[in-house]
């Protein structure tokens, strides 16, 4: 195997690439014991391994493959279906495999149309699935394995639901609710509601009112005509559809749900703000040859949509609004309604009114209980309430408060699902500091939520078993960097661990619960489909092989998941890449790079395949050149509980940046890295942290590459930013101390900024404004690279390659010694 040697000339480095003729493949039919650490592998693949160059590794999915997705079982549990883009194919297709044996088979277009859907709503008997397919409503018969088209229109139908004891289906289109029978009784589609805008008629003056009244008193003909008109209107009103009148042109009905007794319709009303200003992203490379504007989002703190809940009685035509008076007064960071403003029902608003956002209710199977969820606009409070549909009155049955912001994983419309007893609901909550499973008896007064799982680990997904007697839970109980499937009794108790392969096990249980379909991955193994019996200690069979042969022929680094102590003594998880892991030697100048993942709330220091697979390969390339690389799950990363998540409240670039700096110290203390030769880089949130590192800790990092970075949080979106920093007009201090543009004067090291020009998430304007700030500060050791056709997530292979060549050049020129410094040779192309 060709290996990079420390101290050899740059010209020789340019001429060689790393390969591994001893690397092994994972054949589709390989047997894998569930208790094994990593799936067993076959004999070596003797084909040429991938070249360790920027151009080669930045091919992305064309090199590592496109992961399979959408696992689902046939009704008789004999076949597993999934979507997959096999190596060499141009697009994804539907595949099927027998659970017991055989290779995956690609379905024809006609066969794929009759394959089970990837998701949908079960009927009560769990024999039919209702789902939306391209804007049309479709029913899948599980036993027959066939689809039945309910609608086929160009209008677009959404939110399909079972109704009238599963004999009908409702759906929403054009802001109204429709119902259609599906039991063979006919095909008549019936409109149930007539949602209209409030008429904006001018109010008559006192003089006009006086003349009108006097005219009816004086003239009998006028009086008789008025009486006849009223009779006609009353008759028409009795015959017409139940009307729901929206309060203003800014309101629209976004979801409508029929009550189980056919009496009420629950209407979620979205109210667009008046005066909010959308940002604009210019698009310079267009088919027309002219600059075109892309309308984008509003900025944080600008007026936001409201979400209200109304109940329309189909028999009386009367409507009420869900009562939100249970909400306490306005909290910090939330703007109260101004005195004299108009409430949703047209009545004057109160100055101290708390703005809450409603969900459509979840309904018990017997239709007797309704549970809705309401959240405060600042996301610091959540309430589960029972709802009286006749009056709109509510009763709080569970509350949750967080001084920072609430995180819950929602299921169903209200974030809860009813259990088969029609009395209890189950939900996930972080209420004890970690995401866990709870149940709550809705029928009992004063009932408290019961915690079914507990510990300093997190539940990531839950599914109620088909028999209704247990839960299937995926969690991090075994290790923060692993995902395994467990069963949990309905009333809590001892858990049974089903999967055992180290990494991520994303399972789909067959209808008869005998078999699992798995999408499994490991640090060095991209996601693949496996089938295994639903029993602890059983063996799994690998179904797919996704990466290209040249990728599989290379022996990739298996990064070590380590922990180091931060300055406040907490343990920080990270992935470590060293030259020794790839058969290379460390550069004598002892350089290192710290990688900062994006999204803020995301985990990357784990034992399964990373969504940052290009960066994973880039880190292997850096290690082959003698670098040590540390990939840190800094404060606010996911998977480590509430306190970890909220440690950045009111100060992004505080505890999270400290963890990055402490990671650099770990490299110096434990890995012998030269403290003067450490670089840092990352994209999105990682780009933001890179800027904060280069500006506020300039003596720690000699060079930094900030990809698509947020430079001023007041310019980012509302949903993400307002949770962490409140809103800028109410908490300006939090925004100023969290935004890199305010600290640009601290730049000392070499800075590279890279940004897509049609980024509708973090706008290119962020980097442009920072560039102007650096110019005004007379800073010289920085560069900016714009990418004219790229959005937030790059798509063009050439853009990825150009971006990472520049990053590599930055590190080679600023972190390595003169004798081993990168010269721009072909080894990076």
């Amino acid at each position: 195997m060709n290996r990079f040697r420390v101290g050899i000339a740059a010209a020789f480095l340019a001429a060689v690439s790393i390969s591994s003729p001893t690397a092994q493949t994972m054949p589709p039919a390989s047997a894998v014991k569930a208790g094994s650490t990593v799936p067993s592998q076959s004999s070596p693949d003797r084909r040429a391994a991938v070249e360790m160059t920027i151009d080669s590794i930045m091919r992305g999915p064309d090199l590592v493959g496109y992961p399979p997705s959408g696992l689902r079982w046939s009704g008789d549990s004999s076949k597993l279906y999934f979507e997959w883009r096999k190596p060499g194919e141009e697009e994804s297709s539907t595949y099927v495999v027998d659970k017991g044996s055989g290779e995956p088979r690609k379905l024809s277009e006609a066969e794929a149309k009759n394959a089970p859907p990837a998701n949908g709503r079960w009927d009560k008997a769990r024999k039919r699935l209702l789902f939306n397919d391209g804007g049309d409503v479709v029913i899948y018969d599980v036993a027959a394995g066939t689809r039945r088209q309910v609608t086929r229109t160009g209008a677009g139908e959404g939110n399909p639901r079972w109704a009238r004891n599963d004999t009908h289906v409702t759906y929403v289109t054009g802001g109204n609710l429709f119902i259609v029978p599906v039991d063979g009784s006919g095909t008549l589609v019936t409109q149930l509601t007539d949602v209209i805008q409030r008429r904006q008629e001018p109010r008559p003056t006192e003089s006009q009112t006086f003349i009108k009244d006097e005219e009816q008193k004086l003239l009998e003909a006028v009086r008789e005509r008025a009486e006849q008109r009223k009779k006609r209107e009353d008759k028409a009103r009795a015959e017409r559809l139940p009307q729901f009148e929206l309060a203003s042109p800014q309101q629209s009905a976004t979801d409508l749900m029929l009550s189980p007794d056919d009496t009420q319709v629950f209407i979620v009303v979205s109210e667009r703000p008046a005066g909010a200003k959308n940002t604009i992203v210019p698009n310079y490379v267009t088919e027309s040859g002219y600059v075109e504007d892309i309308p984008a989002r509003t900025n944080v703190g600008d007026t936001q949509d409201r979400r209200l809940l109304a109940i329309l009685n189909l028999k009386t035509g009367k409507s009420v609004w869900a009562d939100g008076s249970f909400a306490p007064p306005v909290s910090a960071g939330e703007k109260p309604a101004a005195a004299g403003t108009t409430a949703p029902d047209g009545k004057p608003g109160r100055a101290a009114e708390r703005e809450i956002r409603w969900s459509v209710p979840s309904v018990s199977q017997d239709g007797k209980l309704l549970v809705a969820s309401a959240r405060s606009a600042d996301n610091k409070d959540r309430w589960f309430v029972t709802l009286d549909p006749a009056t709109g009155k509510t009763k709080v049955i569970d509350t949750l408060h967080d001084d920072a912001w609430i995180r819950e994983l929602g299921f169903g419309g209200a974030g809860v699902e009813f259990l088969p007893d029609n009395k209890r609901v189950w939900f996930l909550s972080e209420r004890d500091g970690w995401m866990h499973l709870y149940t709550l008896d809705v029928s009992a007064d004063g009932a408290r939520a019961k915690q079914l799982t507990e510990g300093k680990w997190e539940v990531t997904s839950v599914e109620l078993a088909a028999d209704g007697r247990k839960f299937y839970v995926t969690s991090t109980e075994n290790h923060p960097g692993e995902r395994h499937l467990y069963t949990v009794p309905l009333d809590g108790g001892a858990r049974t661990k089903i999967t055992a392969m180290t990494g991520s096990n994303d399972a789909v249980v067959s209808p008869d619960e005998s078999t699992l379909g798995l999408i499994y991955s490991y640090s060095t193994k991209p996601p693949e489909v496996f089938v295994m019996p639903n029993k602890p200690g059983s063996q799994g069979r690998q179904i797919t092989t996704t990466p290209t042969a040249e990728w599989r022929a290379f022996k990739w680094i298996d990064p070590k998941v380590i922990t180091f102590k931060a300055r406040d003594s907490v343990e920080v998880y990270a992935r470590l890449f060293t030259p020794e892991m790839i058969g290379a030697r460390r550069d004598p100048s002892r350089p290192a790079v710290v990688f900062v993942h994006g999204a803020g709330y995301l985990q990357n220091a784990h034992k399964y395949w990373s969504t940052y697979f290009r960066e994973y390969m880039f880190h292997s390339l850096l290690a082959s050149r003698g670098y040590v690389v540390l990939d840190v799950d800094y404060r606010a990363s996911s998977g480590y509980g509430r306190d970890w998540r909220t440690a950045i409240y009111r100060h992004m670039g505080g505890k999270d940046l400290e963890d990055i700096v402490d990671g650099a110290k770990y490299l110096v203390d434990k890995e012998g890295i030269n403290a003067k030769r450490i670089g840092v880089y990352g994209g999105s949130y990682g780009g933001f942290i890179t800027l904060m590192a280069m500006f506020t800790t300039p003596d720690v990092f000699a060079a930094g590459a900030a990809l698509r970075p947020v430079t001023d949080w007041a310019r980012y979106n509302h949903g993400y930013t307002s949770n962490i920093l409140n809103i800028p007009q109410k908490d300006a201090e939090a925004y100023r101390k969290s935004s890199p543009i305010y600290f640009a004067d601290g730049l000392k090291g070499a800075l590279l900024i890279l940004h897509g020009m049609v980024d509708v998430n973090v706008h290119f304007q962020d980097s442009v404004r920072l560039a102007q700030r650096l110019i005004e500060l007379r800073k010289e050791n920085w560069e900016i690279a714009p990418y004219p056709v790229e959005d937030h997530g790059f798509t063009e292979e050439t853009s990825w390659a150009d971006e990472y060549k520049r990053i590599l050049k930055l590190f080679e020129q600023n972190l390595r010694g003169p004798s081993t410094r990168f010269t721009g040779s072909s080894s990076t192309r």
Side-chain angles (χ1 to χ4, degrees):
M1 161 170 92
N2 293 327
R3 300 169 185 259
F4 285 105
R5 303 295 185 185
V6 176
I8 58 179
F12 179 70
L13 287 172
V16 297
S17 63
I18 295 183
S19 62
S20 176
T22 61
Q24 298 174 331
T25 61
M26 297 169 61
S30 62
V32 179
K33 187 170 182 179
S36 63
T37 302
V38 184
S40 60
Q41 301 172 345
S42 72
S43 59
D45 190 325
R46 300 296 179 181
R47 284 169 285 192
V50 61
E51 284 188 305
M52 186 54 68
T53 66
I54 295 293
D55 278 324
S56 182
I57 65 178
M58 289 302 154
R59 285 177 285 165
D62 288 338
L63 176 64
V64 304
Y66 294 81
S69 63
L71 267 62
R72 65 268 195 199
W73 287 95
S74 60
D76 61 2
S77 302
S78 66
K79 294 179 174 60
L80 180 67
Y81 295 83
F82 55 93
E83 307 305 311
W84 187 34
R85 182 172 171 178
K86 196 174 182 179
E89 296 182 340
E90 294 185 356
E91 60 183 15
S92 181
S93 302
T94 302
Y95 280 77
V96 64
V97 66
D98 291 334
K99 76 172 183 180
S101 62
E103 300 293 321
R105 181 176 67 86
K106 181 179 177 179
L107 300 183
S108 68
E109 186 175 343
E111 289 176 316
K113 286 183 177 179
N114 283 323
N119 50 57
R121 282 191 172 98
W122 285 103
D123 63 3
K124 293 176 183 178
R126 294 186 70 86
K127 293 182 178 180
R128 296 174 297 174
L129 272 170
L130 178 65
F131 64 102
N132 189 284
D133 183 19
D136 290 319
V137 179
V138 183
I139 293 175
Y140 183 77
D141 188 308
V142 175
T146 58
R147 297 188 181 202
R148 178 182 174 187
Q149 200 84 22
V150 177
T151 67
R152 185 180 283 111
T153 73
E157 294 82 32
N159 300 321
R161 295 182 174 93
W162 295 103
R164 296 177 181 171
N165 200 30
D166 296 345
T167 63
H168 289 67
V169 167
T170 64
Y171 59 85
V172 178
T173 185
N176 278 294
L177 187 66
F178 293 76
I179 191 166
V180 58
V182 295
D183 59 357
S185 60
T187 58
L188 180 65
V189 176
T190 304
Q191 185 172 341
L192 297 179
T193 63
D194 183 15
V195 178
I196 60 173
Q197 293 288 343
R198 177 172 294 173
R199 294 182 179 89
Q200 302 294 323
E201 297 178 352
R203 181 177 297 178
T205 64
E206 291 183 8
S207 172
Q208 292 167 350
T209 302
F210 173 79
I211 291 174
K212 179 181 179 181
D213 292 344
E214 288 299 304
E215 197 74 355
Q216 291 192 25
K217 292 176 184 178
L218 288 170
L219 302 177
E220 183 176 349
V222 173
R223 186 165 57 252
E224 289 177 352
R225 290 172 187 171
E227 291 172 354
Q228 291 172 0
R229 177 182 52 79
K230 187 175 184 303
K231 288 180 181 179
R232 290 194 302 270
E233 290 177 351
D234 289 344
K235 182 181 179 181
R237 187 177 296 108
E239 295 175 350
R240 73 188 180 195
L241 291 171
Q243 284 191 335
F244 177 74
E245 195 172 42
L246 297 169
S248 71
Q250 280 72 44
Q251 289 188 349
S252 61
T254 57
D255 193 9
L256 299 93
M257 184 182 79
L258 182 66
S259 66
D261 62 3
D262 268 22
T263 302
Q264 288 94 10
V265 171
F266 302 96
I267 305 175
V268 176
V269 176
S270 176
E271 185 174 279
R272 299 187 305 276
K277 184 176 182 178
N278 280 59
T279 54
I280 295 173
V281 175
N283 186 7
Y284 292 92
V285 181
T286 64
E287 290 185 21
S288 68
Y290 290 85
V291 178
E292 299 173 2
D293 290 338
I294 302 174
R297 53 168 169 77
T298 58
N299 287 329
V300 59
D302 206 346
T303 309
Q304 302 299 310
D305 287 1
R306 302 180 69 188
R307 197 162 67 181
L308 317 163
L309 180 63
I311 306 105
L312 171 66
N313 190 304
L314 294 178
K315 296 180 178 179
T316 67
K318 303 290 185 182
S319 60
V320 295
W321 293 91
D323 178 21
S325 60
F326 53 79
V330 172
S331 64
E334 184 180 346
K335 187 177 181 180
T341 58
T342 302
D345 57 2
K347 298 178 181 178
R350 300 186 303 276
E353 192 175 66
R354 186 81 180 274
E355 183 182 333
I356 56 178
R357 295 192 171 106
W358 287 92
S359 73
V360 67
S362 289
V363 186
S364 59
Q365 286 194 7
D366 61 10
K368 295 180 179 179
L369 290 173
L370 300 167
V371 176
S373 172
R375 284 176 177 260
S376 59
D378 62 5
N379 208 18
K380 298 183 190 307
D381 291 282
R382 185 273 294 150
W383 304 269
F384 290 149
V385 301
T386 54
L387 184 65
D388 180 356
T391 64
K393 294 294 183 183
T394 53
K395 180 181 177 182
V396 176
I397 57 174
D398 188 77
T399 62
L400 184 65
H401 174 81
D402 196 309
D403 288 338
W405 74 97
I406 289 171
R407 172 182 175 254
E408 286 188 302
L409 298 180
F411 298 89
V416 301
E417 282 191 2
F418 274 90
L419 291 173
D421 62 12
N422 291 311
K423 295 180 180 180
R424 292 178 294 170
V425 295
W426 63 270
F427 60 96
L428 288 174
S429 178
E430 211 180 38
R431 64 199 310 141
D432 78 336
W434 299 82
M435 189 63 70
H436 281 296
L437 176 61
Y438 293 80
T439 59
L440 175 65
D441 189 341
V442 178
S443 66
D445 288 338
R448 298 175 64 88
K450 179 180 179 181
Q451 187 168 353
L452 302 189
T453 60
E454 185 176 1
K456 292 185 176 181
W457 45 272
E458 297 210 329
V459 172
T460 59
S461 67
V462 178
E463 181 182 3
L464 183 65
D467 61 10
R469 297 179 180 177
K470 60 182 175 293
F471 294 100
Y472 285 101
V473 171
T474 302
S475 78
T476 63
E477 181 174 359
N478 195 64
H479 185 279
E482 297 182 34
R483 299 291 184 272
H484 288 285
L485 183 71
Y486 297 77
T487 57
V488 178
L490 199 65
D491 295 315
R495 295 174 293 279
T496 301
K497 186 168 178 280
I498 306 298
T499 57
M501 292 186 292
T502 301
S504 174
N505 298 266
D506 186 5
V508 176
V509 185
S510 64
D512 64 5
E513 298 190 48
S514 67
T515 316
L516 300 179
L518 291 175
I519 292 183
Y520 167 79
S521 72
Y522 181 67
S523 302
T524 60
K525 308 295 179 186
E528 304 287 9
V529 176
F530 282 73
V531 173
M532 64 171 280
N534 186 10
K535 294 179 181 179
S538 60
Q539 291 186 337
R541 180 169 67 95
Q542 186 179 337
I543 304 301
T544 61
T545 300
T546 296
T548 60
E550 62 173 318
W551 193 90
R552 288 183 280 121
F554 187 84
K555 188 175 182 181
W556 294 95
I557 286 181
D558 188 352
K560 184 179 180 181
V561 177
I562 59 101
T563 62
F564 62 86
K565 280 194 179 295
R567 64 193 67 186
D568 56 358
S569 297
V570 302
E571 293 288 334
V572 181
Y573 280 81
R575 296 214 298 182
L576 182 67
F577 297 74
T578 67
E580 294 81 5
M581 295 176 180
I582 203 166
R585 295 180 182 176
R586 301 196 180 199
D587 187 285
S589 56
R590 296 176 291 135
V593 170
V594 179
F595 173 66
V596 190
H597 67 69
Y601 196 70
L602 179 145
Q603 186 178 6
N604 206 44
H606 48 61
K607 299 180 182 180
Y608 46 91
W609 186 245
S610 175
T611 55
Y612 288 95
F613 55 87
R614 290 182 180 88
E615 289 79 358
Y616 163 74
M617 292 187 285
F618 181 60
H619 298 162
S620 296
L621 185 151
L622 287 175
S624 73
R625 288 174 169 267
Y627 289 81
V628 173
V629 181
L630 191 68
D631 178 355
V632 182
D633 270 350
Y634 50 86
R635 229 69 63 100
S637 297
S638 63
Y640 305 100
R642 181 266 172 195
D643 290 347
W644 194 270
R645 171 178 65 83
T646 61
I648 61 171
Y649 179 58
R650 297 192 68 239
H651 190 189
M652 291 191 273
K655 285 291 184 182
D656 44 5
L657 176 57
E658 287 180 3
D659 291 342
I660 299 300
V661 172
D662 292 343
K665 184 177 184 299
Y666 166 85
L667 291 174
V668 174
D669 294 343
K670 301 297 183 181
E671 293 294 328
I673 294 303
N674 186 333
K676 300 295 184 181
R677 297 185 181 276
I678 302 177
V680 60
Y681 90 103
S684 195
Y685 197 95
F688 149 72
I689 287 291
T690 296
L691 292 177
M692 291 295 276
M694 297 299 291
F695 295 165
T696 66
T697 60
D699 295 323
V700 177
F701 300 101
L707 293 68
R708 47 198 177 274
V710 175
T711 66
D712 186 345
W713 285 107
R715 307 302 181 102
Y716 197 52
N717 69 32
H718 185 86
Y720 179 86
T721 319
S722 64
N723 282 339
I724 305 172
L725 301 180
N726 300 312
I727 56 177
Q729 59 267 39
K730 292 288 183 179
D731 200 349
E733 179 188 359
Y735 280 80
R736 292 190 185 110
K737 67 183 180 183
S738 299
S739 298
I741 198 167
Y742 290 95
F743 304 98
D745 191 37
L747 177 64
K748 292 183 181 178
L751 173 64
L752 173 62
I753 305 167
L754 311 103
H755 210 139
M757 294 179 68
V758 285
D759 191 333
V760 296
N761 182 8
V762 180
H763 297 160
F764 182 58
Q765 183 188 24
D766 265 52
S767 289
V768 172
R769 292 179 66 244
L770 178 61
Q772 179 61 26
R773 179 66 178 150
L774 292 169
I775 291 168
E776 292 174 358
L777 290 169
R778 301 181 185 275
K779 297 293 181 180
E780 298 178 359
N781 51 334
W782 64 278
E783 293 180 343
I784 184 168
Y787 293 86
V789 301
E790 297 294 355
D791 198 342
H792 196 62
F794 283 21
T795 58
E796 299 296 323
E797 178 185 324
T798 50
S799 298
W800 279 105
D802 182 272
E803 186 177 43
Y804 275 81
K805 287 175 184 176
R806 293 177 188 276
I807 296 170
L808 179 58
K809 183 177 180 180
L810 174 79
F811 292 152
E812 295 279 75
Q813 290 182 341
N814 291 279
L815 304 183
R816 284 163 48 118
S819 63
T820 57
R821 190 172 292 172
F822 169 68
T823 61
S825 59
S826 60
S827 65
T828 64
R829 296 175 184 172

